[in-house]
Amino acid sequence: MRLHPTGMFDNHAAAYRHIETRPLAAAMGAEIRGVDLTNLTAEQAEEIKHALFRHKMIYFRRQKMSHGQHEALSLLFGPFAEDAYTQGVPGHRDVHPLIREADDPSKMVFGEGWHTDSPFLPAPPAITLLRSVEVPPFGGDTIWANSALAYAALSETYKGMIQGLRVRFSIRDVLQAVYESVEPSDSPIGRLASTRESTHVSEDLQRKIRGSTHPLVRTHPVTGEKALYIDSSYAIGIEGMSTEESAPLIRFLSDHVTQPAFTCRLRWEPDMLVIWDNRLCVHQAFNDYQGYRREMYRTTVAGERPT
Ligand code: SIN
């Protein structure tokens, strides 16, 4: 049975023996039940990985855990990735705090704007694990879009046209937006905002501005599934094309990937743990909880050079 109206994606639960799966939307996403993430069996871990690749984003409720337990869970998926924005919490340099205080005056939140995580790096993070500790009474949701479904839904003619194209990704435009709307502070984008004051652009920031070029259609290294690798935050050009030529292509494809029919949206509760595969989906944080505190922690799993 195919559930998505396009007939091109099936998000219903597979027959797992060690976990219980509840699909979230026709396009992607699933809640996983019946597990304690701090005490997984090998069989559960295998089925969770399978469910992640199938549903693109999976989430778990009522998973209170320490930073150390968060790290241990992340390591089941692979070694830590370079995090482009933060240095981690004391004693846990790979657990990155994403905390927005209730009185933060910035007009922008971390993760705002559709994106895949850090595609401006040569080998961007494959997988992200995000854990909630404190969430606003309403607002602060996260939304994901299935970029494999988006690729499948393109016409064969369009697929042929874009085959072989490479996208240039850079932190440039996000940095500019941060400079215009964020106050320097101790948060990840607050620290990025503080580089505005300095006369010297560090080599690390220059590297992220120069960015990287990756295939527009990438192939998942485990499942072989093809997906569009593009977003409206970091994609700044198509290799070999002028800005005028590439801009409409980037706009069309970013809009195509993020159309509502390809998305799922999560209403956070405290102690949730969400895992998504950056090679198969894009995501966006909502900027709609001014005046409320939101405390999250994130780890990222190293990825390969996209092919
Ligand atoms: C992110 O983009 O990694 C953060 C998403 C969120 O805070 O909802």
Side-chain angles (χ1 to χ4, degrees):
M1 180 171 58
R2 289 184 178 275
L3 290 186
H4 194 268
T6 56
M8 288 167 181
F9 185 66
D10 175 0
N11 200 41
H12 81 267
Y16 295 121
R17 291 181 49 225
H18 305 278
I19 60 173
E20 189 192 326
T21 315
R22 298 197 171 195
L24 177 61
M28 65 177 297
E31 179 180 357
I32 309 289
R33 296 188 175 189
V35 296
D36 171 0
L37 291 176
T38 65
N39 194 18
L40 285 178
T41 64
E43 291 81 7
Q44 286 173 330
E46 273 318 299
E47 289 192 350
I48 286 171
K49 281 183 200 163
H50 187 277
L52 171 64
F53 301 147
R54 177 180 179 84
H55 300 286
K56 323 308 183 205
M57 167 280 212
I58 52 177
Y59 66 99
F60 307 77
R61 294 178 206 266
R62 290 177 287 281
Q63 302 287 335
K64 209 179 221 0
M65 64 178 77
S66 64
H67 294 323
Q69 287 167 329
H70 188 160
E71 284 168 331
L73 178 66
S74 192
L75 287 168
L76 289 179
F77 293 88
F80 296 115
E82 169 187 357
D83 192 285
Y85 287 100
T86 95
Q87 303 301 317
V89 295
H92 302 272
R93 57 174 213 161
D94 294 297
V95 178
H96 303 282
L98 305 185
I99 303 171
R100 184 177 165 87
E101 298 297 344
D103 60 358
D104 189 325
S106 303
K107 295 189 184 66
M108 189 178 175
V109 300
F110 184 86
E112 187 178 323
W114 282 107
H115 64 284
T116 176
D117 283 339
S118 303
F120 46 82
L121 297 176
I127 293 168
T128 301
L129 295 88
L130 186 62
R131 174 166 60 95
S132 57
V133 171
E134 184 175 345
V135 300
F138 58 89
D141 296 357
T142 309
I143 184 167
W144 288 262
N146 181 341
S147 48
L149 170 57
Y151 175 71
L154 289 171
S155 67
E156 292 307 315
T157 306
Y158 203 93
K159 282 182 189 162
M161 211 172 76
I162 62 173
Q163 192 58 40
L165 294 184
R166 295 179 66 81
V167 184
R168 169 152 292 281
F169 294 96
S170 162
I171 200 173
R172 183 192 70 190
D173 295 351
V174 170
L175 187 63
Q176 187 60 36
V178 167
Y179 284 170
E180 284 164 13
S181 58
V182 176
E183 293 305 316
S185 72
D186 198 29
S187 72
I189 52 172
R191 271 192 298 278
L192 194 60
S194 63
T195 64
R196 167 180 58 200
E197 321 294 344
S198 87
T199 49
H200 168 74
V201 181
S202 70
E203 173 46 39
D204 186 50
L205 198 49
Q206 285 182 44
R207 176 176 67 101
K208 291 166 187 165
I209 295 169
R210 279 196 303 277
S212 296
T213 303
H214 299 305
L216 168 57
V217 179
R218 72 179 289 187
T219 305
H220 195 275
V222 179
T223 64
E225 191 172 27
K226 287 190 172 182
L228 288 169
Y229 196 57
I230 191 140
D231 66 16
S232 53
S233 296
Y234 298 120
I236 62 161
I238 307 276
E239 200 172 66
M241 287 189 188
S242 67
T243 307
E244 291 71 24
E245 288 168 334
S246 59
L249 233 151
I250 294 175
R251 195 172 325 110
F252 166 72
L253 286 169
S254 307
D255 289 351
H256 171 73
V257 172
T258 56
Q259 59 185 279
F262 296 166
T263 66
C264 71
R265 176 170 174 159
L266 184 72
R267 167 91 193 92
W268 288 92
E269 297 164 8
D271 300 325
M272 269 186 170
L273 188 289
V274 178
I275 311 177
W276 68 86
D277 190 322
N278 286 296
R279 301 163 295 192
L280 297 169
C281 63
V282 291
H283 62 283
Q284 178 179 29
F286 276 83
N287 181 0
D288 61 354
Y289 56 98
Q290 194 77 30
Y292 294 107
R293 189 170 190 276
R294 186 174 185 263
E295 179 179 350
M296 319 283 278
Y297 294 92
R298 186 175 84 158
T299 57
T300 51
V301 177
E304 57 291 317
R305 277 181 186 271
T307 55

